Amino acid sequence: MKLHVDWTACDGRGVCTELLEEVLVEDDWGFPVARDGQRSPTVPPPLEAAARQAVDRCPMLALKLRSR
C-alpha cells in the first residue's frame, strides 16, 4: 500500500506522524514527509493497520491509502 497526502487539505497537525512514526516525520513546518523521501511512501504490511488508523484520524481528511 502507498500513503498519499493531499497537500491542499493538510494543515500540519501531526496526528499522522505520531501514529505512523516508522514511515513519516514532520518537516520544519510540521507537515508530514516520508522518512525515505518518497512522495507517496510505501507502507509495509505490518504497518497497514497503523496507516489505516492515521487515515481515519486525520482531522483534515488529507490522507488516503492506495494499493500499489
Side-chain angles (χ1 to χ4, degrees):
M1 310 241 25
K2 293 271 191 177
L3 185 67
H4 172 75
V5 179
D6 179 351
W7 297 109
T8 62
C10 180
D11 68 355
R13 294 185 187 208
V15 174
C16 59
T17 57
E18 290 178 17
L19 294 172
L20 205 52
E21 62 185 20
E22 297 89 343
V23 177
L24 300 173
V25 294
E26 291 183 9
D27 68 8
D28 293 337
W29 299 276
F31 290 93
V33 292
R35 287 188 178 273
D36 64 5
Q38 292 182 30
R39 185 172 174 97
S40 293
T42 300
V43 177
L47 297 177
E48 286 181 8
R52 284 189 183 90
Q53 187 177 31
V55 169
D56 291 343
R57 292 192 179 176
C58 178
M60 303 307 293
L61 306 175
L63 297 175
K64 298 209 177 357
L65 278 175
R66 297 182 174 166
S67 53
R68 298 177 190 207

